[in-house]
Amino acid sequence: MTPIILDMDPGIDDAVALSIALTNPEIDIKLLTSVAGNVSVDKTTINLLKLTTFFKQTQVPVARGAAAPLKKAFVDASYIHGASGMPGYEFPTVTTQALPTDAVSAMAKVLSEAPKPMTIVATGSYTNIALLIQNHPELISQIKEFVLMGGSLSGGNVSSVAEFNIFTDPDAAAVVFKSGIPIVMIGLDVTLKALLSLDTIDAVANIGEAGNMLHKLMTAYGDSEPGGKPMHDVNTICYLLNPEFYTTKDYWVDVITDGPAAGATVADTQNRWSNGKINAKVAINIDTQAFEKWFIEQIPVMNQYCEGAI
Protein backbone atom coordinates (compact mmCIF):
# COMPACT_ATOMS: atom_id res chain seq x y z
CA MET A 1 0.00 0.00 0.00
CA THR A 2 1.08 3.56 -0.75
CA PRO A 3 0.72 5.80 2.32
CA ILE A 4 -0.50 9.30 1.47
CA ILE A 5 -1.80 12.52 2.94
CA LEU A 6 -4.78 13.70 0.89
CA ASP A 7 -5.56 17.44 0.93
CA MET A 8 -8.92 18.31 -0.67
CA ASP A 9 -11.78 20.76 -1.15
CA PRO A 10 -14.78 18.52 -2.00
CA GLY A 11 -16.37 19.45 -4.44
CA ILE A 12 -17.77 16.81 -6.71
CA ASP A 13 -14.65 15.68 -8.56
CA ASP A 14 -12.76 15.61 -5.24
CA ALA A 15 -15.55 13.42 -3.86
CA VAL A 16 -15.20 10.99 -6.76
CA ALA A 17 -11.41 10.89 -6.28
CA LEU A 18 -11.79 10.30 -2.55
CA SER A 19 -14.32 7.52 -3.13
CA ILE A 20 -11.65 5.64 -5.05
CA ALA A 21 -8.84 6.45 -2.62
CA LEU A 22 -10.84 5.33 0.44
CA THR A 23 -11.64 1.95 -1.07
CA ASN A 24 -8.67 1.04 -3.26
CA PRO A 25 -6.53 -1.62 -1.53
CA GLU A 26 -3.31 -0.09 -2.87
CA ILE A 27 -3.79 3.26 -1.10
CA ASP A 28 -3.39 3.91 2.62
CA ILE A 29 -4.73 7.35 3.57
CA LYS A 30 -2.95 8.41 6.74
CA LEU A 31 -4.69 11.79 6.92
CA LEU A 32 -7.43 13.72 5.13
CA THR A 33 -7.26 17.50 5.27
CA SER A 34 -9.76 20.08 4.09
CA VAL A 35 -9.18 23.49 2.54
CA ALA A 36 -11.39 26.29 1.30
CA GLY A 37 -11.83 26.06 -2.45
CA ASN A 38 -14.85 24.71 -4.27
CA VAL A 39 -16.88 25.68 -1.19
CA SER A 40 -16.02 26.97 2.28
CA VAL A 41 -13.72 25.01 4.54
CA ASP A 42 -16.58 24.24 6.92
CA LYS A 43 -18.40 22.57 4.04
CA THR A 44 -15.36 20.78 2.64
CA THR A 45 -14.62 19.40 6.10
CA ILE A 46 -18.12 18.02 6.58
CA ASN A 47 -17.97 16.59 3.05
CA LEU A 48 -14.85 14.62 3.94
CA LEU A 49 -16.66 13.27 6.99
CA LYS A 50 -19.71 12.39 4.89
CA LEU A 51 -17.60 10.25 2.60
CA THR A 52 -15.61 8.51 5.33
CA THR A 53 -18.94 7.70 6.97
CA PHE A 54 -20.52 6.49 3.72
CA PHE A 55 -17.63 4.13 3.02
CA LYS A 56 -17.31 3.03 6.67
CA GLN A 57 -13.77 4.39 6.82
CA THR A 58 -14.23 6.56 9.89
CA GLN A 59 -10.84 5.45 11.22
CA VAL A 60 -9.23 7.77 8.65
CA PRO A 61 -8.51 11.04 10.50
CA VAL A 62 -9.85 14.30 9.10
CA ALA A 63 -8.36 17.72 9.93
CA ARG A 64 -9.83 21.12 9.10
CA GLY A 65 -7.53 23.35 7.09
CA ALA A 66 -7.24 26.91 5.84
CA ALA A 67 -10.41 28.98 5.54
CA ALA A 68 -8.91 31.49 3.11
CA PRO A 69 -5.95 31.91 0.75
CA LEU A 70 -2.62 33.28 2.03
CA LYS A 71 -3.24 36.80 0.70
CA LYS A 72 -6.17 37.21 -1.65
CA ALA A 73 -9.88 37.15 -0.85
CA PHE A 74 -11.59 33.76 -1.00
CA VAL A 75 -14.04 33.11 -3.84
CA ASP A 76 -15.64 29.66 -4.11
CA ALA A 77 -16.89 27.62 -7.08
CA SER A 78 -20.35 26.79 -5.76
CA TYR A 79 -21.72 27.75 -9.17
CA ILE A 80 -20.09 24.51 -10.40
CA HIS A 81 -20.33 22.27 -7.33
CA GLY A 82 -23.56 23.47 -5.71
CA ALA A 83 -24.05 25.22 -2.38
CA SER A 84 -23.01 22.19 -0.31
CA GLY A 85 -20.23 21.07 -2.65
CA MET A 86 -21.76 17.59 -2.91
CA PRO A 87 -25.41 17.97 -3.94
CA GLY A 88 -27.79 15.37 -5.25
CA TYR A 89 -27.37 12.49 -2.76
CA GLU A 90 -28.65 12.08 0.79
CA PHE A 91 -25.60 10.94 2.76
CA PRO A 92 -25.82 9.06 6.07
CA THR A 93 -25.69 11.09 9.24
CA VAL A 94 -22.13 11.96 10.17
CA THR A 95 -21.22 10.59 13.59
CA THR A 96 -17.54 11.58 13.69
CA GLN A 97 -15.73 14.88 14.02
CA ALA A 98 -12.60 16.46 12.64
CA LEU A 99 -9.48 16.31 14.76
CA PRO A 100 -9.07 19.06 17.36
CA THR A 101 -5.81 20.11 15.70
CA ASP A 102 -5.60 22.08 12.46
CA ALA A 103 -4.58 20.53 9.16
CA VAL A 104 -1.00 21.82 9.12
CA SER A 105 -0.31 20.56 12.65
CA ALA A 106 -1.90 17.22 11.79
CA MET A 107 0.21 16.95 8.61
CA ALA A 108 3.35 17.76 10.56
CA LYS A 109 2.58 15.04 13.12
CA VAL A 110 1.95 12.39 10.45
CA LEU A 111 5.12 13.30 8.55
CA SER A 112 7.30 13.41 11.66
CA GLU A 113 6.12 9.93 12.68
CA ALA A 114 6.37 8.39 9.20
CA PRO A 115 9.14 5.78 8.81
CA LYS A 116 10.00 7.13 5.35
CA PRO A 117 9.08 10.15 3.20
CA MET A 118 5.42 10.31 2.18
CA THR A 119 3.48 11.49 -0.86
CA ILE A 120 1.07 14.38 -0.39
CA VAL A 121 -1.78 14.55 -2.89
CA ALA A 122 -3.53 17.92 -3.19
CA THR A 123 -6.69 18.42 -5.22
CA GLY A 124 -7.75 21.85 -3.95
CA SER A 125 -5.89 25.11 -3.51
CA TYR A 126 -2.43 24.65 -2.01
CA THR A 127 -2.84 26.85 1.06
CA ASN A 128 -2.36 24.06 3.60
CA ILE A 129 0.74 22.60 1.98
CA ALA A 130 2.30 26.05 1.53
CA LEU A 131 1.79 26.72 5.24
CA LEU A 132 3.31 23.33 6.01
CA ILE A 133 6.42 24.26 4.00
CA GLN A 134 6.66 27.68 5.64
CA ASN A 135 5.99 26.57 9.21
CA HIS A 136 7.81 23.23 9.21
CA PRO A 137 10.87 23.46 6.96
CA GLU A 138 12.46 20.71 9.04
CA LEU A 139 9.92 18.27 7.57
CA ILE A 140 10.57 18.99 3.90
CA SER A 141 12.83 15.93 3.70
CA GLN A 142 9.87 13.82 4.91
CA ILE A 143 7.84 14.70 1.81
CA LYS A 144 8.61 12.32 -1.04
CA GLU A 145 6.62 14.30 -3.61
CA PHE A 146 3.52 16.36 -4.22
CA VAL A 147 0.98 15.01 -6.69
CA LEU A 148 -1.06 18.07 -7.56
CA MET A 149 -4.23 18.61 -9.51
CA GLY A 150 -3.82 22.09 -10.89
CA GLY A 151 -2.29 24.36 -13.42
CA SER A 152 -2.24 24.34 -17.19
CA LEU A 153 0.20 24.93 -20.00
CA SER A 154 -2.59 25.43 -22.53
CA GLY A 155 -5.06 27.93 -21.09
CA GLY A 156 -7.26 28.27 -18.05
CA ASN A 157 -10.77 27.58 -16.86
CA VAL A 158 -11.27 30.65 -14.66
CA SER A 159 -9.32 33.08 -16.81
CA SER A 160 -7.64 32.86 -20.19
CA VAL A 161 -4.53 31.45 -18.49
CA ALA A 162 -5.40 30.27 -14.97
CA GLU A 163 -6.74 26.96 -13.64
CA PHE A 164 -9.02 27.19 -10.58
CA ASN A 165 -6.83 25.63 -7.88
CA ILE A 166 -3.85 27.82 -8.73
CA PHE A 167 -6.02 30.91 -9.24
CA THR A 168 -7.68 30.45 -5.84
CA ASP A 169 -4.35 30.85 -4.03
CA PRO A 170 -1.51 31.70 -6.43
CA ASP A 171 0.75 32.80 -3.58
CA ALA A 172 0.49 29.35 -2.01
CA ALA A 173 1.14 27.71 -5.38
CA ALA A 174 4.27 29.82 -5.80
CA VAL A 175 5.56 28.62 -2.42
CA VAL A 176 4.96 25.00 -3.39
CA PHE A 177 6.62 25.23 -6.80
CA LYS A 178 9.66 26.97 -5.28
CA SER A 179 9.97 24.47 -2.41
CA GLY A 180 12.40 22.06 -4.06
CA ILE A 181 10.08 19.16 -3.30
CA PRO A 182 9.42 16.94 -6.36
CA ILE A 183 6.12 17.82 -8.01
CA VAL A 184 3.83 15.95 -10.37
CA MET A 185 1.54 18.55 -11.95
CA ILE A 186 -1.68 17.12 -13.34
CA GLY A 187 -3.50 20.03 -14.91
CA LEU A 188 -6.05 20.91 -17.52
CA ASP A 189 -3.75 19.65 -20.27
CA VAL A 190 -4.85 16.12 -19.35
CA THR A 191 -7.94 16.53 -17.17
CA LEU A 192 -9.92 18.11 -19.99
CA LYS A 193 -9.13 15.02 -22.06
CA ALA A 194 -9.97 12.49 -19.33
CA LEU A 195 -13.71 12.81 -19.75
CA LEU A 196 -16.38 10.45 -18.51
CA SER A 197 -18.94 10.14 -21.27
CA LEU A 198 -22.58 10.78 -20.44
CA ASP A 199 -23.28 7.14 -21.30
CA THR A 200 -20.68 6.03 -18.74
CA ILE A 201 -22.12 8.34 -16.09
CA ASP A 202 -25.60 6.92 -16.77
CA ALA A 203 -24.30 3.35 -16.60
CA VAL A 204 -22.61 4.00 -13.24
CA ALA A 205 -26.05 4.51 -11.65
CA ASN A 206 -26.72 0.79 -11.89
CA ILE A 207 -23.50 -0.41 -10.25
CA GLY A 208 -24.60 -0.69 -6.64
CA GLU A 209 -25.07 2.00 -4.00
CA ALA A 210 -21.65 3.54 -4.61
CA GLY A 211 -22.49 3.87 -8.29
CA ASN A 212 -25.86 5.37 -7.40
CA MET A 213 -24.18 7.94 -5.15
CA LEU A 214 -21.53 8.84 -7.72
CA HIS A 215 -24.12 9.08 -10.48
CA LYS A 216 -26.17 11.56 -8.47
CA LEU A 217 -23.11 13.70 -7.70
CA MET A 218 -21.76 13.62 -11.24
CA THR A 219 -25.19 14.45 -12.69
CA ALA A 220 -25.28 17.54 -10.46
CA TYR A 221 -21.76 18.57 -11.55
CA GLY A 222 -21.77 21.83 -13.49
CA ASP A 223 -18.48 21.23 -15.33
CA SER A 224 -19.06 19.84 -18.81
CA GLU A 225 -17.11 19.57 -22.04
CA PRO A 226 -18.09 18.30 -25.47
CA GLY A 227 -18.07 14.53 -25.07
CA GLY A 228 -18.57 14.30 -21.33
CA LYS A 229 -17.61 15.60 -17.90
CA PRO A 230 -14.04 16.04 -16.64
CA MET A 231 -13.32 14.48 -13.26
CA HIS A 232 -10.20 16.57 -12.78
CA ASP A 233 -9.17 15.38 -9.32
CA VAL A 234 -9.63 11.69 -10.08
CA ASN A 235 -6.49 11.94 -12.20
CA THR A 236 -4.28 12.32 -9.13
CA ILE A 237 -5.39 8.94 -7.78
CA CYS A 238 -5.27 7.38 -11.22
CA TYR A 239 -1.70 8.65 -11.67
CA LEU A 240 -0.61 7.19 -8.33
CA LEU A 241 -1.89 3.77 -9.37
CA ASN A 242 -1.35 3.89 -13.14
CA PRO A 243 1.41 6.35 -14.08
CA GLU A 244 1.77 4.50 -17.40
CA PHE A 245 -1.55 6.06 -18.52
CA TYR A 246 0.13 9.48 -18.57
CA THR A 247 2.71 11.14 -20.78
CA THR A 248 4.80 13.62 -18.82
CA LYS A 249 7.54 16.15 -19.48
CA ASP A 250 9.98 17.68 -17.00
CA TYR A 251 9.88 21.49 -16.85
CA TRP A 252 10.66 24.45 -14.69
CA VAL A 253 7.27 25.97 -13.84
CA ASP A 254 6.74 29.46 -12.43
CA VAL A 255 3.48 30.71 -10.92
CA ILE A 256 2.24 34.23 -11.66
CA THR A 257 0.84 35.72 -8.45
CA ASP A 258 -0.72 39.03 -9.51
CA GLY A 259 -2.00 41.06 -12.42
CA PRO A 260 -4.21 39.87 -15.27
CA ALA A 261 -2.24 36.61 -15.53
CA ALA A 262 -2.54 35.75 -11.82
CA GLY A 263 -2.74 32.00 -11.39
CA ALA A 264 -0.94 31.15 -14.61
CA THR A 265 1.57 28.30 -14.53
CA VAL A 266 4.33 29.16 -16.99
CA ALA A 267 6.68 26.37 -18.06
CA ASP A 268 10.06 27.14 -19.57
CA THR A 269 9.39 24.90 -22.56
CA GLN A 270 12.25 26.48 -24.54
CA ASN A 271 14.79 26.61 -21.68
CA ARG A 272 14.97 30.40 -21.88
CA TRP A 273 15.38 31.26 -18.20
CA SER A 274 15.59 28.10 -16.10
CA ASN A 275 19.15 27.15 -17.08
CA GLY A 276 18.11 23.52 -17.34
CA LYS A 277 16.60 23.38 -13.85
CA ILE A 278 13.44 21.34 -13.33
CA ASN A 279 10.85 21.59 -10.57
CA ALA A 280 7.87 19.66 -11.97
CA LYS A 281 6.92 16.58 -13.93
CA VAL A 282 4.00 17.90 -15.98
CA ALA A 283 1.35 15.58 -17.40
CA ILE A 284 0.70 16.53 -21.02
CA ASN A 285 -1.30 13.59 -22.36
CA ILE A 286 -3.34 10.60 -21.19
CA ASP A 287 -4.71 7.31 -22.47
CA THR A 288 -8.35 8.33 -22.19
CA GLN A 289 -9.79 4.89 -22.92
CA ALA A 290 -7.65 3.30 -20.21
CA PHE A 291 -8.71 6.03 -17.76
CA GLU A 292 -12.43 5.50 -18.32
CA LYS A 293 -12.12 1.70 -18.17
CA TRP A 294 -10.12 1.93 -14.94
CA PHE A 295 -12.68 4.30 -13.43
CA ILE A 296 -15.58 1.93 -14.06
CA GLU A 297 -13.61 -0.97 -12.58
CA GLN A 298 -13.28 0.89 -9.25
CA ILE A 299 -17.00 1.04 -8.51
CA PRO A 300 -17.66 -2.63 -7.66
CA VAL A 301 -14.77 -2.39 -5.19
CA MET A 302 -16.37 0.68 -3.58
CA ASN A 303 -19.61 -1.23 -3.06
CA GLN A 304 -17.85 -3.55 -0.62
CA TYR A 305 -17.38 -0.59 1.74
CA CYS A 306 -20.39 1.68 1.47
CA GLU A 307 -23.59 1.90 3.47
CA GLY A 308 -26.42 -0.03 1.87
CA ALA A 309 -24.10 -1.87 -0.52
CA ILE A 310 -25.79 -4.08 -3.07
Side-chain angles (χ1 to χ4, degrees):
M1 298 178 75
T2 300
I4 64 170
I5 294 172
L6 190 46
D7 186 56
M8 314 186 87
D9 64 338
I12 290 168
D13 54 330
D14 305 75
V16 179
L18 180 56
S19 297
I20 297 171
L22 282 169
T23 57
N24 190 289
E26 296 179 52
I27 293 177
D28 181 11
I29 304 174
K30 296 298 188 184
L31 177 67
L32 279 171
T33 53
S34 62
V35 67
N38 289 321
V39 287
S40 72
V41 74
D42 289 338
K43 292 177 180 178
T44 61
T45 305
I46 193 66
N47 287 345
L48 293 177
L49 295 171
K50 285 179 181 179
L51 286 163
T52 56
T53 299
F54 179 84
F55 287 110
K56 303 178 186 178
Q57 296 292 294
T58 53
Q59 78 284 358
V60 178
V62 173
R64 183 183 186 274
L70 295 182
K71 296 180 181 179
K72 67 180 289 190
F74 171 59
V75 179
D76 70 19
S78 57
Y79 62 96
I80 295 289
H81 295 268
S84 71
M86 292 187 345
Y89 183 83
E90 192 67 31
F91 283 90
T93 301
V94 170
T95 57
T96 56
Q97 295 182 332
L99 296 172
T101 55
D102 64 275
V104 174
S105 298
M107 285 179 173
K109 183 175 188 295
V110 169
L111 290 171
S112 65
E113 294 175 354
K116 58 183 181 180
M118 288 181 60
T119 295
I120 298 179
V121 179
T123 66
S125 63
Y126 308 153
T127 313
N128 290 335
I129 57 177
L131 290 169
L132 176 68
I133 291 164
Q134 292 178 328
N135 296 342
H136 296 280
E138 76 282 1
L139 293 176
I140 285 176
S141 62
Q142 279 293 93
I143 303 172
K144 177 184 176 183
E145 65 179 353
F146 290 125
V147 177
L148 308 176
M149 191 278 128
S152 173
L153 305 187
S154 54
N157 60 357
V158 289
S159 77
S160 59
V161 293
E163 178 276 329
F164 176 78
N165 285 346
I166 307 289
F167 183 82
T168 297
D169 196 344
D171 300 286
V175 170
V176 171
F177 275 84
K178 292 176 182 175
S179 67
I181 297 166
I183 289 170
V184 178
M185 174 179 139
I186 303 178
L188 301 181
D189 310 289
V190 296
T191 68
L192 291 179
K193 297 174 184 175
L195 304 178
L196 297 182
S197 71
L198 299 183
D199 287 344
T200 292
I201 291 171
D202 286 343
V204 162
N206 300 314
I207 311 178
E209 189 58 27
N212 176 43
M213 180 271 288
L214 292 175
H215 173 260
K216 285 182 164 58
L217 294 189
M218 292 188 291
T219 301
Y221 190 35
D223 196 352
S224 294
E225 295 289 327
K229 295 192 176 188
M231 293 295 144
H232 304 280
D233 298 333
V234 175
N235 284 271
T236 58
I237 305 304
C238 185
Y239 177 86
L240 281 180
L241 298 172
N242 307 282
E244 70 277 6
F245 290 1
Y246 296 82
T247 302
T248 63
K249 282 193 174 182
D250 294 336
Y251 289 122
W252 181 269
V253 177
D254 282 309
V255 179
I256 309 301
T257 58
D258 54 23
T265 43
V266 183
D268 187 11
T269 59
Q270 299 179 10
N271 194 28
R272 299 281 184 169
W273 67 85
S274 60
N275 296 317
K277 294 185 295 182
I278 293 166
N279 66 350
K281 182 184 296 291
V282 181
I284 59 170
N285 210 346
I286 180 174
D287 183 336
T288 56
Q289 290 184 333
F291 172 82
E292 193 164 34
K293 179 177 181 290
W294 168 83
F295 173 79
I296 295 169
E297 290 170 350
Q298 305 312 299
I299 300 171
V301 180
M302 295 181 201
N303 281 321
Q304 300 174 33
Y305 291 81
C306 68
E307 293 285 346
I310 296 173

